[in-house]
Amino acid sequence: MTQADPMAVDFPLRHPGVPFPPPHYTDYRDRKGLVLSHLPDGKRVWLVTRHEDVRAVLTNPKISSNPEHEGFPNVGETLGVPKQDQIPGWFVGMDSPEHDRFRKALIPEFTVRRVRAMRPSIERTVEARLDAMLAAGNTADLVADFALPIPSLVISSLLGVPPADREFFESRTRVLVSLRASTDEDRIAAAKDLLRYINRLVDIKQKWGGDDLITRLLATGVIAPHELSGVLMLLLIAGHETTANNIALGVVTLLTNPQWIGDDRAVEETLRFHSVADLVSLRVAVQDVEIAGQLIKAGEGIVPLVAAANHDENVFACPHKFDPSRSARHHVAFGYGVHQCLGQNLVRVEMEVAYRKLFERIPNLELAVPVDGLDIKYDGVLYGLNELPVRW
């Protein structure tokens, strides 16, 4: 906060003892217009908290997702997360029409029909993880032993990573997304290892194709081989920790609301209820634009708060209640507009299979620590758990 901005509020970082979403999100939604804040580095940003306003920001052509624009709110940097290099193919930071070329090539790979065909493979992956957990005893860390490996192993299968390489692929991915157990140097080294491996894999697929995403993308000719490594790294990173966090948090929520165990509607409500990617959909105005009656000047950063939008009382009745019977499909947990998560159908199936198989195989599963003693992530952009001790 500065003297020039007496109405600015503190940036909404997560803190121990403060529930998520934080109570002050309700206060922000009740205010007229938008809410002025500052990033930890002092840069001015506008917080967007109402559901309709978040969707307006994410679809306005005067607002950009390109981090190279002056004023872009690099929240990840300010939280100590290493900045991803703008490698070719890193299309999440592109605007239309450049962004559209990559998205259109990838959409056929993540349709409901394509993901449905992947379901048997996902089920085998989840079953294998459960076999390993059960063989190891009657306790586990459900984050390390279940939630984190599943999305990594699923994406490695999708990319055509040979079975012999999947342990390496999963281990490097785990280091890349782990803030607690890894140093910045460890994560940078893991990213370089994965990029080298992906580049070699692309070279192999150019010579000897297979039934995998890389081969199919190469065949389209839309994405150049030198761009493909960035595309694949983006798919890996975007789909890994978010899915793992949703799986782990969903298990906690189902254990504390056991009447919903076995109900597939719990997946959609978990996505809305937890909104793990609260601080991900960052934007900057590239032209003067008005949102909710507030003028945002070109060069000013915008932070749509996904969790605030998904707990908007005007859209979701009793939003702080976990209620899978509600219609929650219009949440913005996957973003909205042209940058809406490509892999959302895959995430839903991974979550559904993970919950169903877990509670079928271990019906007496229980938390090994009190809910208020869980180790919550406070040091990253995504909301989640560092550990989830369970027993059976």
Side-chain angles (χ1 to χ4, degrees):
M1 190 176 299
T2 68
Q3 291 183 344
D5 298 319
M7 299 302 293
V9 303
D10 291 337
F11 192 77
L13 300 176
R14 292 187 297 278
H15 298 287
V18 177
F20 183 83
H24 50 260
Y25 280 9
T26 301
D27 171 61
Y28 295 169
R29 284 193 301 271
D30 290 340
R31 299 187 184 193
K32 291 183 178 180
L34 307 181
V35 178
L36 183 63
S37 184
H38 293 91
L39 294 179
D41 64 3
K43 188 179 297 181
R44 281 168 50 105
V45 292
W46 292 102
L47 305 181
V48 188
T49 56
R50 286 181 290 273
H51 188 269
E52 65 174 321
D53 297 337
V54 166
R55 299 214 299 186
V57 166
L58 297 179
T59 54
N60 195 301
K62 296 181 180 180
I63 296 173
S64 172
S65 64
N66 189 336
E68 295 184 358
H69 284 301
E70 182 68 29
F72 187 88
N74 284 307
V75 173
E77 272 188 88
T78 62
L79 293 178
V81 179
K83 183 180 178 182
Q84 290 289 336
D85 293 332
Q86 292 298 302
I87 57 177
W90 199 260
F91 65 95
V92 72
M94 300 176 185
D95 298 318
S96 297
E98 186 181 19
H99 164 269
D100 301 341
R101 172 169 64 90
F102 293 91
R103 188 175 183 89
K104 288 177 181 177
L106 285 160
I107 283 175
E109 296 297 326
F110 296 98
T111 61
V112 171
R113 181 178 180 181
R114 177 78 74 178
V115 171
R116 187 182 299 123
M118 294 173 59
R119 187 183 183 98
S121 175
I122 295 170
E123 290 178 340
R124 288 192 295 270
T125 296
V126 173
E127 291 279 11
R129 292 311 310 157
L130 288 168
D131 289 344
M133 281 173 49
L134 290 167
N138 66 343
T139 63
D141 171 8
L142 213 63
V143 170
D145 299 330
F146 188 70
L148 275 173
I150 288 172
S152 177
L153 292 168
V154 168
I155 194 70
S156 68
S157 176
L158 180 64
L159 300 184
V161 174
D165 295 344
R166 289 182 188 176
E167 183 177 347
F168 161 81
F169 192 86
E170 195 274 326
S171 68
R172 294 288 79 197
T173 303
R174 184 179 305 212
V175 171
L176 185 62
V177 302
S178 175
L179 293 178
R180 177 68 61 87
S182 308
T183 65
D184 287 355
E185 291 75 17
D186 291 336
R187 290 190 291 277
I188 291 170
K192 289 180 178 178
D193 287 345
L194 281 168
L195 271 173
R196 280 194 293 267
Y197 180 84
I198 289 172
N199 279 324
R200 287 199 300 271
L201 193 59
V202 171
D203 288 341
I204 291 170
K205 298 298 181 182
Q206 284 183 281
K207 298 174 183 176
W208 301 284
D211 182 16
D212 54 73
L213 180 144
I214 295 176
T215 301
R216 290 190 293 269
L217 288 179
L218 286 168
T220 68
V222 175
I223 300 176
H226 77 279
E227 297 172 318
L228 207 47
S229 59
V231 171
L232 301 178
M233 278 291 287
L234 177 57
L235 294 178
L236 175 63
I237 293 171
H240 187 263
E241 191 183 0
T242 51
T243 305
N245 288 354
N246 275 310
I247 290 173
L249 288 166
V251 169
V252 174
T253 305
L254 288 170
L255 286 173
T256 52
N257 296 271
Q259 69 274 26
W260 297 113
I261 291 176
D263 192 322
D264 292 342
R265 293 177 297 177
V267 170
E268 213 63 47
E269 178 68 345
T270 295
L271 292 164
R272 180 204 69 84
F273 186 74
H274 290 295
S275 298
V276 302
D278 186 36
L279 296 174
V280 168
S281 298
L282 307 172
R283 298 292 188 268
V284 63
V286 290
Q287 300 179 42
D288 289 357
V289 62
E290 187 175 297
I291 299 291
Q294 173 66 55
L295 174 65
I296 304 174
K297 296 181 179 179
E300 291 187 330
I302 308 169
V303 180
L305 296 173
V306 168
N310 283 341
H311 285 252
D312 188 335
E313 300 88 345
N314 292 318
V315 180
F316 304 99
C318 301
H320 296 290
K321 179 183 178 182
F322 181 76
D323 182 10
S325 68
R326 77 169 81 241
S327 176
R329 191 80 178 202
H330 53 301
H331 63 71
V332 290
F334 290 118
Y336 191 68
V338 297
H339 282 280
Q340 191 172 38
C341 176
L342 271 167
Q344 58 182 285
N345 295 322
L346 179 59
V347 173
R348 288 185 174 101
V349 171
E350 288 180 77
M351 291 172 65
E352 178 198 331
V353 172
Y355 300 152
R356 183 170 294 279
K357 295 292 184 182
L358 177 67
F359 289 109
E360 284 178 353
R361 295 283 300 275
I362 315 178
N364 59 333
L365 185 75
E366 63 181 22
L367 297 177
V369 298
V371 172
D372 58 8
L374 291 172
D375 188 3
I376 297 172
K377 294 179 180 179
Y378 294 107
D379 49 2
V381 173
L382 298 174
Y383 174 59
L385 299 172
N386 288 303
E387 297 176 339
L388 178 52
V390 295
R391 61 190 174 213
W392 54 89

